[in-house]
Amino acid sequence: MLIVKTMSEKILFLLSGIIALTSCSSRSIDIRTVCLRDAIGNYILKWETDPPMEGVMKLYVSDNPEKFNKNRPVGYVNINENVTKYVTSDNITRQYFMLTFNDKYPHIVSSRSVIMDNVENLRDLGGYPGGNDHTTRWGKIYRSGALYDLTVLDSVRMERLGIKTIIDLRTEEEVFKAPIGYKNASVIHIPVTLGNFNDIYKRLIQGRVRKGDGMLFMQDLYLQYVTENSEQFAKAMEVFLDKENYPILFNCTYGKDGAGFLAAMILAALDVPEETIYRDYIISNNYVNIRRMEEFARTLNSDAQETITVMLMAHETLIDLVFRKIKKDYGSVDKYLSKELNLTDRKRNQLKDIMLF
């Protein structure tokens, strides 16, 4: 049995297991694959087979998840070794991998997170199980935090990802203070309510927050996504219906709240299981840098510091609150997608045609 050591690896490996079990359900063998990157940027590829297999895993690599040269494997590994490393010094161009097991059962995988210098939480929505044994395509939809402070290398990385369209979910005030620093994509600004942020910010400075205020603020914010911002998210959904807009990146300040809700709705529209959607949501905790608020938080009392920590984290209770609200008010997530986000059956099938394989 393969041992996955870190919490990040545990979550990602569990997600990959759900993917494999779904996509291989019609086969006699289940294969779970995951791709991670180590501290210096090498790719670590891991797999499990159930039942255990003997034979050879062939590894193929490409910078395009739709195209692999099957005549040129880059490596051969005994299947029962369960792990291999792809060594690279290239931290600019993202790589995708196809693993075959005894020349069968092809699995396409990449690292979900994209290495960036000054962009938090940049992640790919590819590789998740959709309906009818389909999988979401890699390299089509990305989510991230704010894009205002890109380094030169960050811009090159964005170019290599081929980003054509950016959906900016930040408020007018946020955009004015920190405009997007990437110039080689079409930017569509669809501002989403930030909640009563100015009020809680003043209370933080004045030391007038109590334990629990941070969670109450976040709960109100997430409920507003459903009650006050459905029209905005419906506009965002329209962007994903035109295949000429891809690859698409959508962002908010930390890539976890407004972006987290939009990611959840996209995945739900693609029939990705809710359990997988929840896990994708909380992975933000591995990629949001809470420490960048340390200097500001140091000047505040303990309750204010706790409030900031709560506001900067992705809590499963928040995405669950949203799903429960939608089901209570609309009967199901499908009905909410149709009624409020204008995803008719035709539009939803259009999205699936673009995003599932």
Side-chain angles (χ1 to χ4, degrees), residues 108-143:
I108 297 173
V109 68
S110 185
S111 59
R112 188 158 302 286
S113 171
V114 180
I115 290 177
M116 300 290 279
D117 296 326
N118 286 344
V119 180
E120 292 187 270
N121 205 11
L122 178 49
R123 292 190 275 134
D124 193 331
L125 290 188
Y128 286 137
N132 299 320
D133 292 337
H134 291 294
T135 303
T136 58
R137 293 184 184 275
W138 289 98
K140 290 289 189 181
I141 299 178
Y142 297 90
R143 54 181 289 181

Side-chain angles (χ1 to χ4, degrees), residues 165-169 186-190 239 245:
T165 308
I166 296 172
I167 302 173
D168 192 350
L169 301 174
S186 174
V187 178
I188 301 172
H189 184 215
I190 304 176
V239 180
N245 291 333

Side-chain angles (χ1 to χ4, degrees), residues 49-276:
T49 66
D50 184 19
M53 289 178 65
E54 298 290 336
V56 175
M57 188 284 290
K58 289 183 182 178
L59 180 65
Y60 304 83
V61 63
S62 174
D63 60 5
N64 183 339
E66 309 284 337
K67 296 179 181 179
F68 291 89
N69 186 345
K70 296 182 181 179
N71 295 318
R72 297 183 61 184
V74 297
Y76 303 82
V77 182
N78 289 333
I79 293 174
N80 57 20
E81 290 187 20
N82 296 116
V83 63
T84 190
K85 178 185 290 187
Y86 180 79
V87 178
T88 178
S89 60
D90 184 354
N91 280 326
I92 302 298
T93 304
R94 187 161 180 247
Q95 301 295 340
Y96 302 88
F97 301 90
M98 181 169 69
L99 290 70
T100 64
F101 301 82
N102 294 329
D103 292 320
K104 295 185 290 185
Y105 316 117
H107 279 245
I108 297 173
V109 68
S110 185
S111 59
R112 188 158 302 286
S113 171
V114 180
I115 290 177
M116 300 290 279
D117 296 326
N118 286 344
V119 180
E120 292 187 270
N121 205 11
L122 178 49
R123 292 190 275 134
D124 193 331
L125 290 188
Y128 286 137
N132 299 320
D133 292 337
H134 291 294
T135 303
T136 58
R137 293 184 184 275
W138 289 98
K140 290 289 189 181
I141 299 178
Y142 297 90
R143 54 181 289 181
S144 79
L147 302 167
Y148 64 88
D149 192 26
L150 277 69
T151 65
V152 172
L153 288 182
D154 284 341
S155 292
V156 174
R157 292 179 179 114
M158 295 272 286
E159 289 178 10
R160 297 289 176 87
L161 293 176
I163 302 299
K164 293 175 65 177
T165 308
I166 296 172
I167 302 173
D168 192 350
L169 301 174
R170 296 177 303 155
T171 64
E172 299 282 358
E173 182 179 359
E174 288 177 294
V175 172
F176 178 78
K177 290 180 178 178
I180 285 179
Y182 186 67
K183 306 301 182 183
N184 296 328
S186 174
V187 178
I188 301 172
H189 184 215
I190 304 176
V192 172
T193 299
L194 191 58
N196 196 7
F197 179 78
N198 289 333
D199 175 65
I200 197 167
Y201 180 76
K202 290 178 182 178
R203 288 164 56 199
L204 282 168
I205 297 296
Q206 296 168 359
R208 294 190 297 110
V209 293
R210 298 167 298 176
K211 288 184 177 180
D213 282 355
M215 182 56 71
L216 288 173
F217 171 82
M218 296 305 295
Q219 288 172 345
D220 288 342
L221 174 64
Y222 274 65
L223 290 175
Q224 287 176 33
Y225 291 151
V226 179
T227 60
E228 298 181 17
N229 288 277
S230 291
E231 182 179 350
Q232 298 298 83
F233 287 113
K235 291 178 182 177
M237 279 292 194
E238 286 291 324
V239 180
F240 296 95
L241 300 179
D242 186 349
K243 63 181 180 181
E244 297 303 317
N245 291 333
Y246 289 80
I248 299 170
L249 182 151
F250 58 93
N251 77 288
C252 63
T253 302
Y254 296 104
K256 71 177 184 71
D257 298 318
F261 178 80
L262 181 55
M265 294 302 102
I266 292 169
L267 294 175
L270 296 171
D271 296 328
V272 173
E274 282 187 16
E275 182 180 8
T276 305

Side-chain angles (χ1 to χ4, degrees), residues 17-47:
I18 294 169
I19 295 164
L21 289 170
T22 304
S23 62
C24 299
S25 59
S26 62
R27 302 168 181 167
S28 59
I29 189 165
D30 292 326
I31 300 173
R32 309 177 183 186
T33 58
V34 68
C35 176
L36 305 165
R37 299 196 78 173
D38 64 19
I40 59 176
N42 296 318
Y43 293 86
I44 310 299
L45 297 135
K46 302 181 180 183
W47 61 90

